Amino acid sequence: MAYRQQAKTCFDYVWSYEANYSQNSSYNPNTSQYNYNTFHYSQNTSQYNYNTFHYSQNTSQYNYNTFHYSQNISQYNYNTFHYSQNTSQYIYNTFHYSQNTSQYIYNTFHYSQNTSQYNYNTFHYSQNTSQYNYNTFHYSQNTSQYNYNTFHYSQNTSQYIYNTFHYSQNTSQYNYNTFHYSQNTSQYNYNTFHYSQNTSQYNYNTFHYSQNTSQYNYNTFHYSQNTSQYIYNTFHYSQNTSQYNYNTFHYSQNTSQYIYNTFHYSQNTSQYNYNTFHYSQNTSQYNYNTFHYSQNTSQYIYNTFHYSQNTSQYNYNTFHYSQNTSQYNYNTFHYSQNTSQYIYNTFYYSQNTSQYNYNTFYYSQNTSQYK
């Protein structure tokens, strides 16, 4: 309404001179300034147009402004342009408002030749869709940096989205971050990506949380070309099922090693499970270990497996303990391809009956002996 009242005041002034168009220009030799203004009003289209131009040779500045208002479509448009040769700066701003669509749009552009910087910002708001959009872009030739940010909010869908991107040619780094939140689904999502050409490293992280399902998910990935290492970790927790899951994977090309670990815990069943796997190409060894514990059954189970291609040996061990029956069981198995020998040992102990049992079995293919 302020624009409308201002435009109408200008119109009343021009109408008092019985005209619907006016223009005036002036030049001042002392200040070396040019001024040019135009005003136009049309009763048929119900449009107001007002333009101003200013130039100063002393300051080497240009200023240009336009204002447009239309009563039929209920739109306001306002644009400003500024240029200064001394500071070598360009500034351009636009504002648009429509009562019919209930939209606001505001854009700014700034460029400086001295600092070699670009800045561009946009803002958009719609009352009908209840959406906000805000974007910023910045570039600097001196620092060779790019920055881009976006923000979006919707009242109807109750969603927030925020994204940031950064790139630096000097440090050769990329950074990208995204954040998303939805009130309807009660979900959070956060992702980060980082890459550095100098260190040749990749880092990627994801986090997800849902209030409805009460679940947490967190994943990390790391890769380094210099050390030739891969690392991948996952974590999951659910409040409904009361379960924890954690997994890690590591691989190194330099040492040629694989490592994989898993951990699982359930509060409902009161069970723990832990597994590890290791393989080395240099030593040609495999190692696999499992551990299980249950509070309900009060049982412990531990298993180990080892294999070596160089020595051609297999080793397998199992251990079992039960608090309810008070029993211990321990078994070992060994096999060697070089000596062609099998060895199997079993051990049993019961606290209730106070009994011990120990058995060994030996067989050699070379001598064909049993013990």
Side-chain angles (χ1 to χ4, degrees), residues 144-186:
S144 299
Q145 286 186 329
Y146 297 82
N147 291 283
Y148 183 69
N149 305 301
T150 66
F151 174 77
H152 170 82
Y153 171 66
S154 173
Q155 287 177 317
N156 295 339
T157 60
S158 298
Q159 286 185 328
Y160 297 83
I161 300 174
Y162 183 70
N163 305 303
T164 66
F165 174 78
H166 170 83
Y167 171 65
S168 172
Q169 287 178 317
N170 296 338
T171 60
S172 298
Q173 286 186 329
Y174 297 82
N175 291 283
Y176 183 70
N177 305 301
T178 66
F179 174 78
H180 171 83
Y181 172 66
S182 173
Q183 287 178 317
N184 295 339
T185 60
S186 298

CSV table of all heavy atoms in Angstrom, one decimal, residues 144-186:
chain,number,residue,atom,x,y,z
A,144,SER,N,39.9,-18.2,-5.2
A,144,SER,CA,39.4,-19.3,-6.0
A,144,SER,C,38.5,-20.2,-5.2
A,144,SER,O,38.6,-21.4,-5.2
A,144,SER,CB,40.6,-20.2,-6.5
A,144,SER,OG,41.4,-19.4,-7.4
A,145,GLN,N,37.5,-19.6,-4.6
A,145,GLN,CA,36.5,-20.3,-3.8
A,145,GLN,C,35.1,-20.1,-4.3
A,145,GLN,O,34.8,-19.0,-4.7
A,145,GLN,CB,36.6,-19.8,-2.3
A,145,GLN,CG,37.8,-20.3,-1.6
A,145,GLN,CD,37.7,-19.9,-0.1
A,145,GLN,OE1,37.2,-18.9,0.2
A,145,GLN,NE2,38.3,-20.8,0.7
A,146,TYR,N,34.3,-21.2,-4.3
A,146,TYR,CA,32.9,-21.2,-4.7
A,146,TYR,C,32.1,-21.6,-3.4
A,146,TYR,O,32.5,-22.5,-2.7
A,146,TYR,CB,32.6,-22.2,-5.7
A,146,TYR,CG,33.3,-22.0,-7.1
A,146,TYR,CD1,34.6,-22.5,-7.3
A,146,TYR,CD2,32.6,-21.4,-8.1
A,146,TYR,CE1,35.2,-22.3,-8.5
A,146,TYR,CE2,33.2,-21.2,-9.4
A,146,TYR,CZ,34.5,-21.7,-9.6
A,146,TYR,OH,35.1,-21.5,-10.8
A,147,ASN,N,31.1,-20.8,-3.1
A,147,ASN,CA,30.2,-21.1,-2.0
A,147,ASN,C,28.7,-21.0,-2.5
A,147,ASN,O,28.4,-20.0,-3.1
A,147,ASN,CB,30.4,-20.2,-0.9
A,147,ASN,CG,31.7,-20.4,-0.2
A,147,ASN,OD1,31.9,-21.3,0.6
A,147,ASN,ND2,32.7,-19.5,-0.5
A,148,TYR,N,28.0,-22.1,-2.3
A,148,TYR,CA,26.6,-22.1,-2.8
A,148,TYR,C,25.7,-22.7,-1.7
A,148,TYR,O,26.0,-23.8,-1.2
A,148,TYR,CB,26.4,-22.9,-4.1
A,148,TYR,CG,25.0,-22.9,-4.6
A,148,TYR,CD1,24.5,-21.8,-5.2
A,148,TYR,CD2,24.3,-24.1,-4.6
A,148,TYR,CE1,23.2,-21.8,-5.7
A,148,TYR,CE2,23.0,-24.1,-5.1
A,148,TYR,CZ,22.4,-22.9,-5.6
A,148,TYR,OH,21.2,-22.9,-6.1
A,149,ASN,N,24.7,-21.9,-1.3
A,149,ASN,CA,23.8,-22.4,-0.2
A,149,ASN,C,22.4,-22.2,-0.6
A,149,ASN,O,22.0,-21.3,-1.2
A,149,ASN,CB,24.1,-21.5,1.1
A,149,ASN,CG,25.5,-21.4,1.5
A,149,ASN,OD1,26.1,-22.5,1.8
A,149,ASN,ND2,26.1,-20.3,1.5
A,150,THR,N,21.6,-23.2,-0.2
A,150,THR,CA,20.1,-23.2,-0.5
A,150,THR,C,19.4,-23.5,0.8
A,150,THR,O,19.8,-24.5,1.5
A,150,THR,CB,19.8,-24.2,-1.6
A,150,THR,OG1,20.0,-25.5,-1.2
A,150,THR,CG2,20.6,-23.9,-2.9
A,151,PHE,N,18.3,-22.8,1.0
A,151,PHE,CA,17.4,-23.1,2.1
A,151,PHE,C,16.0,-23.1,1.6
A,151,PHE,O,15.5,-22.2,0.8
A,151,PHE,CB,17.6,-22.0,3.2
A,151,PHE,CG,16.6,-22.2,4.3
A,151,PHE,CD1,16.8,-23.2,5.3
A,151,PHE,CD2,15.5,-21.4,4.4
A,151,PHE,CE1,15.8,-23.3,6.3
A,151,PHE,CE2,14.5,-21.5,5.4
A,151,PHE,CZ,14.7,-22.5,6.4
A,152,HIS,N,15.2,-24.1,2.0
A,152,HIS,CA,13.8,-24.3,1.6
A,152,HIS,C,13.0,-24.7,2.8
A,152,HIS,O,13.4,-25.6,3.6
A,152,HIS,CB,13.7,-25.4,0.5
A,152,HIS,CG,12.3,-25.7,0.2
A,152,HIS,ND1,11.5,-25.0,-0.6
A,152,HIS,CD2,11.5,-26.8,0.6
A,152,HIS,CE1,10.3,-25.6,-0.7
A,152,HIS,NE2,10.3,-26.6,0.1
A,153,TYR,N,11.9,-24.0,3.0
A,153,TYR,CA,10.9,-24.4,4.0
A,153,TYR,C,9.5,-24.3,3.5
A,153,TYR,O,9.1,-23.4,2.8
A,153,TYR,CB,11.1,-23.4,5.2
A,153,TYR,CG,10.0,-23.7,6.3
A,153,TYR,CD1,9.9,-24.9,7.0
A,153,TYR,CD2,9.0,-22.7,6.5
A,153,TYR,CE1,8.9,-25.1,7.9
A,153,TYR,CE2,8.0,-22.9,7.5
A,153,TYR,CZ,8.0,-24.1,8.1
A,153,TYR,OH,7.0,-24.3,9.1
A,154,SER,N,8.7,-25.3,3.8
A,154,SER,CA,7.3,-25.4,3.4
A,154,SER,C,6.5,-25.6,4.7
A,154,SER,O,6.6,-26.6,5.4
A,154,SER,CB,7.1,-26.5,2.4
A,154,SER,OG,5.8,-26.7,2.1
A,155,GLN,N,5.5,-24.7,4.9
A,155,GLN,CA,4.6,-24.9,6.0
A,155,GLN,C,3.6,-26.0,5.8
A,155,GLN,O,3.2,-26.6,6.7
A,155,GLN,CB,3.9,-23.5,6.3
A,155,GLN,CG,4.9,-22.5,7.0
A,155,GLN,CD,4.2,-21.2,7.2
A,155,GLN,OE1,3.5,-20.7,6.3
A,155,GLN,NE2,4.5,-20.5,8.3
A,156,ASN,N,3.2,-26.2,4.6
A,156,ASN,CA,2.2,-27.2,4.3
A,156,ASN,C,2.8,-28.6,4.5
A,156,ASN,O,2.2,-29.4,5.2
A,156,ASN,CB,1.8,-27.1,2.8
A,156,ASN,CG,1.0,-25.8,2.6
A,156,ASN,OD1,0.5,-25.2,3.5
A,156,ASN,ND2,1.0,-25.4,1.3
A,157,THR,N,4.0,-28.9,4.0
A,157,THR,CA,4.6,-30.2,4.2
A,157,THR,C,5.5,-30.2,5.4
A,157,THR,O,5.9,-31.3,5.8
A,157,THR,CB,5.4,-30.6,3.0
A,157,THR,OG1,6.5,-29.6,2.8
A,157,THR,CG2,4.6,-30.6,1.7
A,158,SER,N,5.7,-29.0,6.0
A,158,SER,CA,6.5,-29.0,7.3
A,158,SER,C,7.9,-29.6,7.1
A,158,SER,O,8.4,-30.4,7.8
A,158,SER,CB,5.8,-29.7,8.4
A,158,SER,OG,4.6,-29.0,8.7
A,159,GLN,N,8.5,-29.2,6.0
A,159,GLN,CA,9.8,-29.7,5.6
A,159,GLN,C,10.9,-28.6,5.6
A,159,GLN,O,10.6,-27.5,5.1
A,159,GLN,CB,9.8,-30.4,4.3
A,159,GLN,CG,9.1,-31.7,4.2
A,159,GLN,CD,9.2,-32.4,2.9
A,159,GLN,OE1,9.3,-31.8,1.9
A,159,GLN,NE2,9.3,-33.7,2.9
A,160,TYR,N,12.0,-28.9,6.1
A,160,TYR,CA,13.2,-28.0,6.0
A,160,TYR,C,14.3,-28.7,5.2
A,160,TYR,O,14.6,-29.9,5.4
A,160,TYR,CB,13.8,-27.7,7.4
A,160,TYR,CG,12.9,-27.0,8.4
A,160,TYR,CD1,11.9,-27.7,9.1
A,160,TYR,CD2,13.0,-25.7,8.6
A,160,TYR,CE1,11.1,-27.1,10.1
A,160,TYR,CE2,12.2,-25.0,9.5
A,160,TYR,CZ,11.3,-25.7,10.2
A,160,TYR,OH,10.5,-25.1,11.2
A,161,ILE,N,14.8,-28.0,4.3
A,161,ILE,CA,15.9,-28.5,3.5
A,161,ILE,C,17.0,-27.4,3.4
A,161,ILE,O,16.7,-26.3,3.0
A,161,ILE,CB,15.5,-28.9,2.0
A,161,ILE,CG1,14.4,-30.0,2.1
A,161,ILE,CG2,16.6,-29.4,1.2
A,161,ILE,CD1,13.8,-30.3,0.8
A,162,TYR,N,18.2,-27.8,3.8
A,162,TYR,CA,19.4,-26.9,3.7
A,162,TYR,C,20.6,-27.6,3.1
A,162,TYR,O,20.9,-28.7,3.5
A,162,TYR,CB,19.7,-26.4,5.2
A,162,TYR,CG,20.8,-25.4,5.2
A,162,TYR,CD1,20.6,-24.1,4.8
A,162,TYR,CD2,22.0,-25.8,5.8
A,162,TYR,CE1,21.6,-23.2,4.8
A,162,TYR,CE2,23.1,-24.8,5.8
A,162,TYR,CZ,22.9,-23.5,5.4
A,162,TYR,OH,23.9,-22.6,5.4
A,163,ASN,N,21.1,-27.0,2.1
A,163,ASN,CA,22.3,-27.5,1.4
A,163,ASN,C,23.4,-26.5,1.3
A,163,ASN,O,23.1,-25.3,1.0
A,163,ASN,CB,21.9,-27.9,-0.1
A,163,ASN,CG,20.7,-28.9,-0.1
A,163,ASN,OD1,20.7,-29.9,0.5
A,163,ASN,ND2,19.6,-28.5,-0.8
A,164,THR,N,24.6,-27.0,1.4
A,164,THR,CA,25.8,-26.1,1.3
A,164,THR,C,26.8,-26.8,0.4
A,164,THR,O,27.0,-28.0,0.5
A,164,THR,CB,26.4,-25.7,2.7
A,164,THR,OG1,27.0,-26.9,3.2
A,164,THR,CG2,25.4,-25.1,3.6
A,165,PHE,N,27.4,-26.0,-0.5
A,165,PHE,CA,28.5,-26.5,-1.3
A,165,PHE,C,29.7,-25.6,-1.3
A,165,PHE,O,29.5,-24.3,-1.4
A,165,PHE,CB,28.0,-26.7,-2.8
A,165,PHE,CG,29.1,-27.1,-3.7
A,165,PHE,CD1,29.5,-28.4,-3.8
A,165,PHE,CD2,29.7,-26.2,-4.6
A,165,PHE,CE1,30.5,-28.8,-4.6
A,165,PHE,CE2,30.7,-26.5,-5.4
A,165,PHE,CZ,31.1,-27.8,-5.5
A,166,HIS,N,30.8,-26.1,-1.1
A,166,HIS,CA,32.0,-25.3,-1.0
A,166,HIS,C,33.1,-25.9,-1.9
A,166,HIS,O,33.4,-27.1,-1.7
A,166,HIS,CB,32.5,-25.1,0.4
A,166,HIS,CG,33.9,-24.4,0.5
A,166,HIS,ND1,34.1,-23.1,0.4
A,166,HIS,CD2,35.1,-25.0,0.7
A,166,HIS,CE1,35.3,-22.8,0.6
A,166,HIS,NE2,36.0,-24.0,0.7
A,167,TYR,N,33.8,-25.1,-2.7
A,167,TYR,CA,35.0,-25.7,-3.4
A,167,TYR,C,36.1,-24.6,-3.4
A,167,TYR,O,35.8,-23.4,-3.6
A,167,TYR,CB,34.6,-26.0,-4.9
A,167,TYR,CG,35.7,-26.3,-5.7
A,167,TYR,CD1,36.5,-27.5,-5.5
A,167,TYR,CD2,36.1,-25.5,-6.8
A,167,TYR,CE1,37.6,-27.8,-6.3
A,167,TYR,CE2,37.2,-25.8,-7.6
A,167,TYR,CZ,38.0,-27.0,-7.3
A,167,TYR,OH,39.1,-27.3,-8.1
A,168,SER,N,37.3,-25.1,-3.2
A,168,SER,CA,38.4,-24.2,-3.2
A,168,SER,C,39.5,-24.8,-4.2
A,168,SER,O,39.9,-25.9,-4.0
A,168,SER,CB,39.0,-24.1,-1.8
A,168,SER,OG,40.2,-23.4,-1.8
A,169,GLN,N,39.9,-24.0,-5.2
A,169,GLN,CA,40.9,-24.4,-6.1
A,169,GLN,C,42.3,-24.5,-5.5
A,169,GLN,O,43.1,-25.3,-5.8
A,169,GLN,CB,40.9,-23.6,-7.3
A,169,GLN,CG,39.7,-23.8,-8.2
A,169,GLN,CD,39.6,-22.9,-9.5
A,169,GLN,OE1,39.9,-21.7,-9.3
A,169,GLN,NE2,39.3,-23.4,-10.6
A,170,ASN,N,42.5,-23.6,-4.5
A,170,ASN,CA,43.9,-23.5,-3.9
A,170,ASN,C,44.1,-24.8,-3.0
A,170,ASN,O,45.1,-25.4,-3.1
A,170,ASN,CB,44.0,-22.3,-3.0
A,170,ASN,CG,43.9,-21.0,-3.8
A,170,ASN,OD1,44.2,-21.0,-5.0
A,170,ASN,ND2,43.6,-19.9,-3.2
A,171,THR,N,43.1,-25.1,-2.2
A,171,THR,CA,43.3,-26.3,-1.4
A,171,THR,C,42.7,-27.6,-2.1
A,171,THR,O,42.9,-28.7,-1.6
A,171,THR,CB,42.5,-26.1,0.0
A,171,THR,OG1,41.1,-25.9,-0.3
A,171,THR,CG2,43.1,-24.9,0.7
A,172,SER,N,42.0,-27.4,-3.2
A,172,SER,CA,41.5,-28.5,-4.0
A,172,SER,C,40.6,-29.3,-3.1
A,172,SER,O,40.7,-30.6,-3.0
A,172,SER,CB,42.6,-29.4,-4.6
A,172,SER,OG,43.4,-28.6,-5.5
A,173,GLN,N,39.7,-28.7,-2.4
A,173,GLN,CA,38.8,-29.4,-1.5
A,173,GLN,C,37.3,-29.1,-1.9
A,173,GLN,O,37.0,-28.0,-2.3
A,173,GLN,CB,38.9,-28.9,-0.1
A,173,GLN,CG,40.2,-29.4,0.6
A,173,GLN,CD,40.3,-29.0,2.1
A,173,GLN,OE1,39.8,-28.0,2.5
A,173,GLN,NE2,40.9,-29.8,2.9
A,174,TYR,N,36.5,-30.2,-1.8
A,174,TYR,CA,35.1,-30.1,-2.1
A,174,TYR,C,34.4,-30.4,-0.8
A,174,TYR,O,34.7,-31.4,-0.1
A,174,TYR,CB,34.6,-31.1,-3.1
A,174,TYR,CG,35.2,-31.0,-4.5
A,174,TYR,CD1,36.4,-31.4,-4.8
A,174,TYR,CD2,34.4,-30.3,-5.5
A,174,TYR,CE1,36.9,-31.3,-6.1
A,174,TYR,CE2,34.9,-30.2,-6.8
A,174,TYR,CZ,36.2,-30.7,-7.1
A,174,TYR,OH,36.7,-30.6,-8.3
A,175,ASN,N,33.4,-29.6,-0.4
A,175,ASN,CA,32.6,-29.9,0.8
A,175,ASN,C,31.1,-29.8,0.4
A,175,ASN,O,30.7,-28.7,-0.1
A,175,ASN,CB,32.9,-29.0,1.9
A,175,ASN,CG,34.3,-29.2,2.5
A,175,ASN,OD1,34.5,-30.2,3.2
A,175,ASN,ND2,35.2,-28.4,2.1
A,176,TYR,N,30.3,-30.8,0.7
A,176,TYR,CA,28.9,-30.8,0.3
A,176,TYR,C,28.1,-31.3,1.5
A,176,TYR,O,28.4,-32.4,2.0
A,176,TYR,CB,28.6,-31.6,-0.9
A,176,TYR,CG,27.1,-31.5,-1.4
A,176,TYR,CD1,26.6,-30.4,-1.9
A,176,TYR,CD2,26.3,-32.6,-1.2
A,176,TYR,CE1,25.3,-30.3,-2.3
A,176,TYR,CE2,25.0,-32.6,-1.6
A,176,TYR,CZ,24.5,-31.4,-2.2
A,176,TYR,OH,23.2,-31.4,-2.5
A,177,ASN,N,27.2,-30.5,2.0
A,177,ASN,CA,26.4,-30.9,3.2
A,177,ASN,C,24.9,-30.7,2.9
A,177,ASN,O,24.5,-29.7,2.3
A,177,ASN,CB,26.7,-30.1,4.4
A,177,ASN,CG,28.2,-30.1,4.7
A,177,ASN,OD1,28.8,-31.1,5.0
A,177,ASN,ND2,28.8,-28.9,4.7
A,178,THR,N,24.1,-31.7,3.3
A,178,THR,CA,22.6,-31.6,3.2
A,178,THR,C,22.0,-31.9,4.5
A,178,THR,O,22.4,-32.9,5.2
A,178,THR,CB,22.1,-32.6,2.1
A,178,THR,OG1,22.3,-33.9,2.5
A,178,THR,CG2,22.8,-32.3,0.7
A,179,PHE,N,20.9,-31.2,4.8
A,179,PHE,CA,20.1,-31.4,6.0
A,179,PHE,C,18.7,-31.3,5.6
A,179,PHE,O,18.2,-30.4,4.9
A,179,PHE,CB,20.4,-30.3,7.1
A,179,PHE,CG,19.5,-30.5,8.3
A,179,PHE,CD1,19.8,-31.4,9.2
A,179,PHE,CD2,18.5,-29.6,8.5
A,179,PHE,CE1,19.0,-31.6,10.3
A,179,PHE,CE2,17.6,-29.7,9.6
A,179,PHE,CZ,17.9,-30.7,10.5
A,180,HIS,N,17.9,-32.3,6.1
A,180,HIS,CA,16.5,-32.4,5.8
A,180,HIS,C,15.7,-32.8,7.0
A,180,HIS,O,16.2,-33.7,7.7
A,180,HIS,CB,16.2,-33.5,4.7
A,180,HIS,CG,14.8,-33.8,4.4
A,180,HIS,ND1,14.0,-33.0,3.7
A,180,HIS,CD2,14.0,-34.7,4.9
A,180,HIS,CE1,12.7,-33.5,3.7
A,180,HIS,NE2,12.7,-34.5,4.4
A,181,TYR,N,14.7,-32.1,7.3
A,181,TYR,CA,13.8,-32.4,8.5
A,181,TYR,C,12.4,-32.3,8.0
A,181,TYR,O,12.0,-31.4,7.4
A,181,TYR,CB,14.1,-31.5,9.6
A,181,TYR,CG,13.1,-31.7,10.8
A,181,TYR,CD1,13.0,-32.9,11.5
A,181,TYR,CD2,12.2,-30.7,11.1
A,181,TYR,CE1,12.1,-33.1,12.5
A,181,TYR,CE2,11.3,-30.9,12.1
A,181,TYR,CZ,11.2,-32.1,12.8
A,181,TYR,OH,10.3,-32.3,13.8
A,182,SER,N,11.6,-33.3,8.4
A,182,SER,CA,10.1,-33.3,8.1
A,182,SER,C,9.4,-33.5,9.4
A,182,SER,O,9.6,-34.5,10.1
A,182,SER,CB,9.8,-34.4,7.1
A,182,SER,OG,8.4,-34.6,7.0
A,183,GLN,N,8.5,-32.5,9.7
A,183,GLN,CA,7.7,-32.6,11.0
A,183,GLN,C,6.6,-33.7,10.8
A,183,GLN,O,6.2,-34.3,11.8
A,183,GLN,CB,7.1,-31.3,11.3
A,183,GLN,CG,8.1,-30.3,11.8
A,183,GLN,CD,7.5,-28.9,12.1
A,183,GLN,OE1,6.7,-28.4,11.3
A,183,GLN,NE2,7.9,-28.3,13.2
A,184,ASN,N,6.1,-33.9,9.6
A,184,ASN,CA,5.0,-34.9,9.4
A,184,ASN,C,5.6,-36.3,9.7
A,184,ASN,O,5.0,-37.1,10.4
A,184,ASN,CB,4.5,-34.8,8.0
A,184,ASN,CG,3.8,-33.5,7.8
A,184,ASN,OD1,3.4,-32.8,8.7
A,184,ASN,ND2,3.6,-33.0,6.5
A,185,THR,N,6.7,-36.6,9.1
A,185,THR,CA,7.3,-38.0,9.2
A,185,THR,C,8.2,-38.0,10.4
A,185,THR,O,8.7,-39.1,10.8
A,185,THR,CB,8.0,-38.4,7.9
A,185,THR,OG1,9.1,-37.5,7.7
A,185,THR,CG2,7.0,-38.5,6.8
A,186,SER,N,8.5,-36.8,11.0
A,186,SER,CA,9.5,-36.8,12.1
A,186,SER,C,10.8,-37.5,11.8
A,186,SER,O,11.3,-38.3,12.6
A,186,SER,CB,8.8,-37.4,13.4
A,186,SER,OG,7.7,-36.8,13.7
